Amino acid sequence: MPRYKYTAVDAEGKNVKDTIFATNMAEFNAVLKQKGEYALTVREIAENETGSRANANAIGMKDLSVLCKQFATMLNAGITIVKSLDVLYQQQEKQKLKNILLKVYEQVQVGKSLSKALAGTDGAFPQFMISMVESGEMSGSIDQIMERLSVHYEKQMKLKNKVTSAMVYPILLVVVGFAVVLGLFIFVMPNLMGMFGDPEDLPALTKALMAMSNFMQSSWYLIIIFIVALILIFGVFRNTKAVKRLSDRIKLYTPIVGKLYAVVVAANFCRTMCSVFSSGMSLLTSLELTTNVINNSVMNEKMTEVLEEIRAGGSLSAALHKTGLFPQMMVTMINVGEESGALDEILEKTADFYDIEADNAIQKMVTLLEPLMIVILGAVVGTVIIGIMLPVFGMYQNVG
């Protein structure tokens, strides 16, 4: 979803600098009007040349979770926001986070709201958190909002860690397999090939393997350059629109894996939607913030259609069903929540259910990947061994 950076004048005549997520200028103007501000300059923030919206200044989810938890604890104890920020700043050991907290503390001290102070840190805090805090300020429940944010980021972090941990073994398997194949080509084959006599009499497969072995021995530096170049190219282009869209489509539409990935996305969607909607925001605003959290370009496009349908008076469950990307059970549960008027409670129960389902989905993905990687590596190593053994069998036949 596009971002608009603007300068404006608020109802008190003060200058304001902020960023708003909106699908178009009409929506931007509507949000600005709702905030009671009058725009002076507006600029759409374009994605950088790699297509990534990542910010080097951004705080990690683990730090956000701990920060929100500590903030909520102090606010519940009756400590003021300014004093809480001071305590958080004083006890912080990480210099980067310490500097960010100092900036927030100084802005709150001079009269700015906490949400505006968080927004004035050059992207250190996510827009999702800023909007949640702004909602808490309007409802007078910042302590509850901070508690929800702490749980939200803790869940997000755990889910991310589970995916990362689950991928360790398949990646390790690939690395070890690659090292074994490389060792066969560089060290084993050259020693064996000297025993087979005239290379012209060797089988075609063995000749091809010998050619590869000779290339690796004589031009090993080209292989290193190729691997390094491949890593650099992947690092530069992996977040471009075209590559990211292709990657996101593969995640969603690959047989079996796509359904498992959809469960993980559903868990993320329900948990985020529950956190926002329970804080008192409207359904439309909650959905906009949730859409910004989903890290899939294909789904983001579909969610834009969902937003348009809801603005036109449609129901959330019907709009989500039309995308064809979410599990049917989740859509049905949301429909029940809409009809009963207890959408926030239903979202929380659905989020808890899909948190468990996401764990199972991750394990299933790993279970599918492991044998697939073993079969592929087995085929490669088996081909090399057959290429080596064919001349050996020929020698035995000649001796016979």
Side-chain angles (χ1 to χ4, degrees):
M1 187 177 288
R3 286 187 299 171
Y4 295 90
K5 190 172 184 178
Y6 69 94
T7 57
V9 177
D10 62 15
E12 298 176 359
K14 295 179 181 178
N15 288 332
V16 177
K17 290 184 179 180
D18 203 351
T19 303
I20 289 177
F21 285 88
T23 53
N24 50 45
M25 279 300 298
E27 184 180 334
F28 167 81
N29 290 327
V31 174
L32 204 67
K33 185 177 180 181
Q34 186 179 5
K35 295 176 73 174
E37 296 173 352
Y38 303 90
L40 300 175
T41 61
V42 182
R43 180 173 65 87
E44 182 177 352
I45 302 176
E47 294 182 352
N48 58 32
E49 54 190 39
T50 65
S52 173
R53 295 187 188 275
N55 189 334
N57 196 39
I59 302 171
M61 277 190 285
K62 182 178 180 181
D63 289 330
L64 282 174
S65 177
V66 173
L67 193 66
C68 292
K69 185 67 176 177
Q70 292 173 337
F71 215 142
T73 302
M74 286 187 283
L75 290 175
N76 283 326
I79 302 174
T80 64
I81 291 177
V82 176
K83 183 61 179 176
S84 298
L85 285 169
D86 185 34
V87 173
L88 289 172
Y89 163 74
Q90 295 294 343
Q91 71 172 14
Q92 185 54 238
E93 295 179 357
K94 295 181 180 178
Q95 192 58 46
K96 172 187 167 182
L97 192 50
K98 196 177 181 74
N99 293 338
I100 292 169
L101 288 171
L102 177 61
K103 188 173 182 180
V104 174
Y105 171 72
E106 290 173 344
Q107 291 187 61
V108 172
Q109 262 200 326
V110 297
K112 279 193 174 182
S113 65
L114 179 59
S115 59
K116 291 192 180 298
L118 295 176
T121 53
D122 300 323
F125 296 94
Q127 183 64 36
F128 174 77
M129 179 177 175
I130 295 168
S131 298
M132 288 281 283
V133 170
E134 187 176 11
S135 171
E137 288 171 336
M138 290 188 288
S139 62
S141 58
I142 295 184
D143 52 345
Q144 296 176 20
I145 292 295
M146 284 297 176
E147 188 68 41
R148 286 198 188 102
L149 284 169
S150 172
V151 172
H152 171 78
Y153 286 121
E154 185 179 0
K155 294 275 187 182
Q156 293 278 79
M157 182 183 64
K158 284 182 178 178
L159 187 61
K160 183 179 178 181
N161 289 342
K162 283 174 185 174
V163 174
T164 304
S165 300
M167 293 305 296
V168 169
Y169 179 71
I171 292 171
L172 186 62
L173 198 61
V174 171
V175 172
V176 171
F178 181 76
V180 169
V181 172
L182 210 59
L184 286 172
F185 275 111
I186 295 176
F187 301 108
V188 178
M189 287 195 67
N191 294 329
L192 291 176
M193 292 308 166
M195 302 165 51
F196 299 147
D198 188 1
E200 295 299 324
D201 298 330
L202 296 176
L205 178 60
T206 309
K207 286 181 183 179
L209 294 175
M210 283 183 65
M212 292 177 67
S213 176
N214 292 333
F215 175 77
M216 288 182 180
Q217 282 186 302
S218 61
S219 305
W220 55 269
Y221 56 91
L222 291 177
I223 298 173
I224 294 175
I225 292 172
F226 175 76
I227 292 172
V228 172
L230 204 62
I231 293 171
L232 291 175
I233 290 170
F234 177 75
V236 170
F237 291 102
R238 69 190 176 96
N239 284 326
T240 57
K241 285 183 178 179
V243 174
K244 193 172 188 313
R245 182 174 175 77
L246 176 62
S247 172
D248 291 340
R249 286 190 68 84
I250 291 172
K251 290 176 187 175
L252 282 171
Y253 298 114
T254 302
I256 301 175
V257 175
K259 290 183 178 179
L260 300 177
Y261 176 73
V263 171
V264 176
V265 173
N268 189 14
F269 177 89
C270 290
R271 179 62 60 191
T272 306
M273 190 73 181
C274 173
S275 299
V276 182
F277 193 67
S278 299
S279 68
M281 292 189 188
S282 67
L283 178 62
L284 194 60
T285 304
S286 300
L287 197 58
E288 287 173 348
L289 288 171
T290 303
T291 300
N292 293 326
V293 173
I294 297 175
N295 188 25
N296 187 292
S297 58
V298 177
M299 294 197 77
N300 285 342
E301 290 176 7
K302 292 289 186 181
M303 291 306 296
T304 302
E305 297 174 9
V306 171
L307 286 166
E308 291 298 329
E309 186 162 340
I310 291 175
R311 288 192 188 95
S315 68
L316 175 60
S317 56
L320 291 176
H321 178 69
K322 285 182 181 179
T323 65
L325 298 176
F326 294 96
Q328 184 57 43
M329 180 183 170
M330 170 187 150
V331 175
T332 304
M333 291 288 284
I334 290 175
N335 184 38
V336 171
E338 288 177 316
E339 291 180 353
S340 63
L343 184 58
D344 51 347
E345 295 177 14
I346 293 294
L347 281 170
E348 186 173 5
K349 291 177 181 178
T350 309
D352 292 337
F353 171 78
Y354 277 109
D355 280 342
I356 298 171
E357 287 296 296
D359 292 345
N360 296 332
I362 292 167
Q363 291 303 317
K364 285 180 183 177
M365 279 193 277
V366 175
T367 304
L368 288 170
L369 279 173
E370 286 178 8
L372 180 64
M373 299 306 302
I374 290 172
V375 168
I376 293 172
L377 292 172
V380 173
V381 174
T383 302
V384 175
I385 293 173
I386 291 171
I388 293 173
M389 294 306 294
L390 283 175
V392 175
F393 292 145
M395 290 172 64
Y396 280 131
Q397 288 176 353
N398 291 336
V399 170

